[in-house]
Every structure is written in structure tokens, then in C-alpha cells.
Amino acid sequence: MAGLPEVLALDETGPDRFRSGPIPSEWARTFGGQIAAQSLMAAAHTLDRSYSAHSLHGYFLRPGRPQEPTDHLVERLRDGGSFCTRRVTAVQAGEAIFTVTASFHRGDEGFSHQVDMPAVPAPDDIPESDRINGWGMPRPAEWSHWEMRWVPGGQRGHVPGAPACQRVWIRYGRPLPDDGAVHACALTYLSDMALLGSARLPHPPTAVQGASLDHSLWFLRPFRADEWLLYDQVSPSAEHGRALTRGRLFDTGGRLVAAVAQEGLMRFDRPRPTEGRPRLHRLDGRPSRGTCPR
């Protein structure tokens, strides 16, 4: 399967227009983190590297098709002295599949505070797993370049009134270049990994359809995605076939480097016509994953 450098490789096809090629996948629909990371990279290509991404807010509009190229169309909404804003629309076959607004900042001096990192075992003290969280989904081949260590006892979801929770140490398994934009895009990719699964933990094994609906990410402090990050994931609510999830990412020094929020589809599986339409992700251990269904 393609590694992160191949995923983030974009060809400039015109002014503020970039194209990502087909990325081989075992899924019927493109992984949402991949589309978001590519769109953020397209936005970064229109900026001086003195600006770094500090937030993004995106919506998954249609299923992405891994076997087709994707065009990322960048709009320059604002170029300021401290902040720049870009809107990127990812398009396949003339239809928008994802849209994101990303803000970039040069950085300023100000106050500093953060919450403490949870007390967890170090990643080197936890064995590697070929599973995705406690309900046993096999790790997708798309994630073979990522190292993941699930924190023992870090899964909570059976206590009434308490949020469902899971924790995982994660890093990209190969060295990445010293380019802040690459690490921001790598974190954007990983921020969608297994996050919706936290909403599955309190419930019995039942076939459900799941997909990312929207995604927000805040970059808080410098980090490297090829070094261990603790991804603390919680789901405070699920209702009406949708689940709310949140995440915090800490480095091994305990610094809070990023925060995530996402709403995802999590509805009971139901019969539907499949001809001409990609299948939805099933949260029952079957390897399928992707962006918003329609």
C-alpha cells in the first residue's frame, strides 16, 4: 500500500489547482483522513512556509473513489500579516466530495496553559497489535506504515453516564522530512484513524454503517508525526444514527499538541441497492472505511 509521501504527492495542474493520483485501497471508499490531509497539503502549497496550519474544519460530502484521481481546488479567502485562510474543495468526476476551510498562523507571543496528559504506560512497554481497538477490527492495509500501541485498560464505555473512551500511542513508522506542513498533514491523516470506533465501545456487537461526516482539528504546539503521540479518544454521545467523538493528542513529553472533534454516521445496517454505489463502512469488524455516504 502507498506510504504517506505518496499520499501527499500532488501535481499542480493550474493556478491554485492540485491533483492527487489514485491511491490503491482495500476499501470501496476513500479514507476520510486521506482526503483531508491531501486538501490541507494543497492549501499549504499556496502559502509561504512561515505560516503553519493552526486549524481546519471540513465536511465530507460524497464518497470518495480510491481508483480515481482527485482535484483539490484552493480559494484564497484571506492573506493577512498574521493569519491566512484557505478554502479547499476536493472534486472527483466534477462533483465535490469534501470541502475544508483551513487557517494558517505565523505565531505570536501570549499566555500558555494546558491540561495534564493521562497517566499511561509508555509506548515501548505496550506490544504492537494488528487489531483496531478492543472490539477487534483487523488493522486495514492502508495503515500498515503506522505503528499503533493500544493502551491496556484505556477503553471505557460500559459505565452508565461516562463517556466511551480509548487510548492509543501512534506514530508514522518511517522518518518524515523536516517540513511542518508534512507533519500537519500526517496528523490530519491519523486524526481520523479509529476515532469513530470510540463510539462503538458501549454497545453490543451489532452491524452498523459508519462514516465520517465532519471533522475539525486544532494544531496547538509543534510536534512530529514520526514520533510517538498519545491519542486520547472519547465519545460523549450517540443518537439518531450519529455519534459525536473528540480527541486529544499528546507527545511523549506530555505536551498537548492537537485537539480533534468529529461527528460520524453510526446507524444500524439496512438493506439498500448497491449497483453503482460504494458500500458503507461496517463497524462489525469488516474492513471497509471512508467518507460520508449519500
Side-chain angles (χ1 to χ4, degrees), residues 39 77 80 108-109 121 137 145 153 164 264 287:
S39 291
L77 300 184
D108 291 298
E109 294 184 357
M137 177 180 173
H145 297 287

Side-chain angles (χ1 to χ4, degrees), residues 202-220:
H203 305 289
T206 305
V208 295
Q209 302 167 354
S212 307
L213 296 175
D214 60 23
H215 197 81
S216 294
L217 177 58
W218 295 265
F219 304 95
L220 306 176

Side-chain angles (χ1 to χ4, degrees), residues 112-230:
S112 178
H113 70 269
Q114 69 160 76
V115 299
D116 290 337
M117 183 177 78
V120 298
D124 291 340
D125 296 332
I126 304 172
E128 180 80 1
S129 173
D130 62 356
R131 296 284 167 172
I132 299 301
N133 71 22
W135 42 270
M137 177 180 173
R139 185 194 297 199
E142 273 80 352
W143 300 350
S144 61
H145 297 287
W146 296 87
E147 297 182 48
M148 304 176 73
R149 308 285 175 90
W150 291 94
V151 175
Q155 297 162 344
R156 301 192 307 272
H158 302 284
V159 179
C165 172
Q166 60 186 10
R167 292 170 179 155
V168 59
W169 286 102
I170 185 170
R171 69 179 176 185
Y172 191 69
R174 300 176 182 178
L176 294 172
D178 296 330
D179 182 344
V182 170
H183 290 271
C185 292
L187 193 144
T188 300
Y189 185 104
L190 75 85
S191 68
D192 195 29
M193 293 170 65
L195 181 58
L196 186 56
S198 64
R200 189 67 183 85
L201 292 173
H203 305 289
T206 305
V208 295
Q209 302 167 354
S212 307
L213 296 175
D214 60 23
H215 197 81
S216 294
L217 177 58
W218 295 265
F219 304 95
L220 306 176
R221 290 172 177 83
F223 62 91
R224 292 189 65 94
D226 53 5
E227 296 179 353
W228 286 115
L229 298 171
L230 177 68

Side-chain angles (χ1 to χ4, degrees), residues 2-24:
L4 193 64
E6 291 79 16
V7 168
L8 298 180
L10 303 179
D11 294 323
E12 188 169 3
T13 58
D16 295 344
R17 298 174 65 96
F18 302 88
R19 174 169 292 181
S20 55
I23 301 296

